[in-house]
Amino acid sequence: ACFHCCRWLSDVAIKSQSDAFTAIDRLLDMGAQTVIITSTFVETGQSQVLLGKNKNGEITRVEMPKIKAHFTGTGDLFNALLLAWSHEGLQSSCEKAVCTMQAVLRRTLQHYGT
């Protein structure tokens, strides 16, 4: 879920990483098997942070540089990549999805500009 969707669905104001994991736990308690929050900036400043957890208790945190451009379809791309790598486990699949997405976005920016 995106940061705002997770906040809305869990009814938790997310101002810190601890708040984010409280929201994730609430969504897991509602029946989700895995919850991943994308596009957060909690406690990092300029970097984006992906936070996730599954019912097995596996937790992930992936920090990535923010690319200063506007792209359409990044959520769809991320979800497709996450599904493609999901057999790797939560941490590895999130890291690989983020790395692949960052490469695609950089290449798109390089080819088309801002």
Side-chain angles (χ1 to χ4, degrees), residues 22-94:
T22 298
I24 287 170
D25 285 337
R26 189 167 290 176
L27 294 175
L28 289 170
D29 289 344
M30 290 178 188
Q33 296 299 304
T34 301
V35 178
I36 298 170
I37 302 176
T38 59
S39 301
T40 67
F41 292 93
V42 293
E43 301 166 5
T44 66
Q46 293 299 324
S47 296
Q48 287 183 274
V49 177
L50 174 148
L51 300 170
K53 185 175 179 182
N54 62 24
K55 282 280 192 186
N56 299 331
E58 189 179 2
I59 295 173
T60 188
R61 182 182 193 280
V62 180
E63 199 168 320
M64 65 205 102
K66 179 167 174 48
I67 297 175
K68 296 184 192 246
H70 179 75
F71 299 95
T72 301
T74 55
D76 294 332
L77 174 61
F78 178 78
N79 287 329
L81 292 168
L82 189 61
L83 179 60
W85 290 111
S86 63
H87 65 282
E88 299 271 336
L90 184 62
Q91 179 70 32
S92 182
S93 61
C94 287

